[in-house]
Amino acid sequence: MSKKIGYYRANTNIALIKYWGKRNKELFLPMTSSLSLTLDAFYTDTKVTVDSNLSQDYFTLDGIAQSYSDTQKVSKFVDLFRHLAGSQEHVYIESVNHVPTAAGLASSASAFSALACALNQAFNLNLDQRTLSTLARQGSGSASRSLFGGFVEWHKGEGDNSDSSYAEQIADADWDIAMLVIVINDQKKKISSRVGMEHTIQTSPFFALWPQEVEKDLALIKQAIKDKDFKTLGEVTEHNAMKMHATTIAANPSLTYWAPASITALQAVQSLREDLGFECYATMDAGPNVKVLCRKSEIDALSKQLLTHFKPEQLIKAFPGEAPRPLPID
Ligand code: ADP
Ligand code: DP6
Ligand code: CO
């Protein structure tokens, strides 16, 4: 009888230039590159126990045993690591989300990044961060970016070459920058990111424009990061998100992740910027919650202003986060 344990914490990341569309669904190869900011406030802790006595995989999330189909999804991901380790042993996975699950706050990103790191440790694989990024990607695309802290670019890669599509840190984000998250609804969304993006690709006539817009936005934002040019960073971020959401509205049947309060938030951000001079810009993912890219030095004042529309517990201050790290095993 033998037991080996891996235990890791990984942060979520929010894309400033969105990943929205796969060119290869089996390998999770994206249609475009994307770029994100890792956040300190939201993370997943995942413990993996490789136990030669188990006859199947077990998966608990927030202390609750998950269904057969949810466990199977995770098992398929574990198979990638079993294959690399030349092992047939089963695992016991205990994961805790310090981020609302499936609410558009990127739980799948921190989840599969933490799981990839914990599996690497438990199976004693010693894989490097880049390889772990290509593996995490195959659990959820956005997870490829959560292997790194700060500003991260996920390269789309070439053809069907899985190894060519990985993320890397492009800058540490160690300047006057933060993200204020406006939680509009933390419950599970009806349409997952995966289903929403596939429906958009299949049916939205506006999707044809998306890849070329991303190319342009990526070039602009990378220069803005180099120059620490917050205005351009914010403008490109907001415009990119709005273009992504426009592709979903033009899908057939039409799809939007926005709730009425999302629009209240978007308009408040615009007015705080234009009327009160705050340096703040909005982005949204596959969910109703609004993330406000802002100055660290202005986040308290900005948060106070937003209290006219939202309750204090709806406003979460986040700062640039770090790469995944091991947790103590007792
Ligand atoms: P989100 O916006 O939260 O990333 P997604 O639709 O992309 O939403 O992904 C949500 C899915 O990610 C969940 O339904 C579940 O399958 C998976 N997931 C979330 N948290 C975990 C976790 N800690 N461990 C394993 N899988 C997870
Ligand atoms: C809008 O990475 O959650 O948040 O790869 O199918 O698991 P799958 O999807 P996921 O999609 C994220 C979409 C997004 C934009 C982004 O994070 O880049
Ligand atoms: Co996700």
Side-chain angles (χ1 to χ4, degrees):
M1 155 177 165
S2 79
K3 277 191 190 181
K4 293 163 286 176
I5 295 176
Y7 194 17
Y8 261 80
R9 171 171 294 177
N11 289 82
T12 58
N13 71 79
I14 294 300
L16 307 182
I17 305 299
K18 307 296 183 190
Y19 143 58
W20 196 241
K22 297 175 180 70
R23 66 177 191 274
N24 178 325
K25 283 189 272 180
E26 282 68 44
L27 290 173
F28 290 72
L29 293 167
M31 290 203 181
T32 69
S33 298
S34 56
L35 190 145
S36 60
L37 180 65
T38 298
L39 297 185
D40 68 348
F42 303 101
Y43 53 91
T44 298
D45 290 344
T46 299
K47 186 188 263 187
V48 171
T49 306
V50 180
D51 185 341
S52 53
N53 287 325
L54 296 176
S55 56
Q56 64 181 88
D57 293 333
Y58 292 89
F59 170 39
T60 70
L61 179 54
D62 299 333
I64 299 165
Q66 298 296 289
S67 67
Y68 177 71
S69 72
D70 282 339
T71 305
Q72 258 192 329
K73 266 198 254 169
V74 169
S75 279
K76 223 179 131 204
F77 183 72
V78 179
D79 285 342
L80 299 171
F81 292 78
R82 273 192 278 257
H83 178 76
L84 289 170
S87 164
Q88 309 211 320
E89 291 164 298
H90 288 100
V91 296
Y92 194 87
I93 298 170
E94 296 157 276
S95 189
V96 176
N97 277 344
H98 297 269
V99 52
T101 302
L105 289 164
S107 69
S108 67
S110 52
F112 284 96
S113 172
L115 184 55
C117 293
L119 286 164
N120 179 47
Q121 185 183 15
F123 281 110
N124 214 353
L125 285 165
N126 285 312
L127 301 170
D128 59 27
Q129 292 296 102
R130 178 181 291 197
T131 307
L132 284 173
S133 171
T134 66
L135 289 162
R137 188 196 78 224
Q138 295 170 70
S140 179
S142 54
S144 65
R145 299 186 307 242
S146 272
L147 268 298
F148 304 91
F151 288 114
V152 179
E153 182 176 7
W154 169 18
H155 303 284
K156 70 174 194 269
E158 288 128 39
D160 286 334
N161 179 357
S162 181
D163 293 345
S164 68
S165 185
Y166 58 87
E168 64 181 335
Q169 186 188 65
I170 57 161
D172 60 15
D174 194 15
W175 44 295
D176 191 5
I177 185 164
M179 208 173 251
L180 183 62
V181 177
I182 307 176
V183 180
I184 290 185
N185 187 343
D186 64 2
Q187 296 304 299
K188 191 174 165 158
K189 55 191 149 190
K190 292 200 181 77
I191 299 173
S192 70
S193 308
R194 196 159 305 170
V195 169
M197 74 174 82
E198 185 56 21
H199 175 64
T200 303
I201 294 170
Q202 295 301 335
T203 68
S204 174
F206 290 2
F207 188 78
L209 291 170
W210 173 249
Q212 69 206 51
E213 291 301 310
V214 170
E215 285 302 320
K216 284 190 261 178
D217 289 347
L218 269 171
L220 291 170
I221 208 163
K222 282 164 77 171
Q223 191 58 45
I225 290 169
K226 263 198 197 116
D227 298 344
K228 299 194 174 167
D229 171 357
F230 190 82
K231 187 168 188 281
T232 305
L233 182 78
E235 285 173 356
V236 175
T237 293
E238 188 170 291
H239 189 208
N240 185 266
M242 295 305 117
K243 286 183 281 191
M244 180 202 119
H245 287 275
T247 69
T248 75
I249 291 172
N252 190 13
S254 179
L255 161 68
T256 186
Y257 286 100
W258 295 10
S262 312
I263 298 174
T264 303
L266 292 175
Q267 290 179 340
V269 169
Q270 192 176 7
S271 147
L272 287 166
R273 182 168 72 229
E274 290 173 0
D275 305 334
L276 295 184
F278 278 97
E279 292 187 87
C280 61
Y281 301 87
T283 186
M284 287 179 70
D285 293 278
N289 306 303
V290 175
K291 297 99 183 181
V292 189
L293 186 66
C294 63
R295 294 291 200 176
K296 200 184 272 187
S297 54
E298 285 185 355
I299 197 167
D300 289 336
L302 188 66
S303 178
K304 259 191 210 131
Q305 289 291 336
L306 286 165
L307 287 173
T308 32
H309 300 287
F310 302 101
K311 300 191 196 93
E313 58 271 24
Q314 288 182 276
L315 303 171
I316 302 176
K317 292 170 194 162
F319 303 100
E322 301 296 320
R325 54 263 176 222
L327 294 172
I329 297 162
D330 43 43

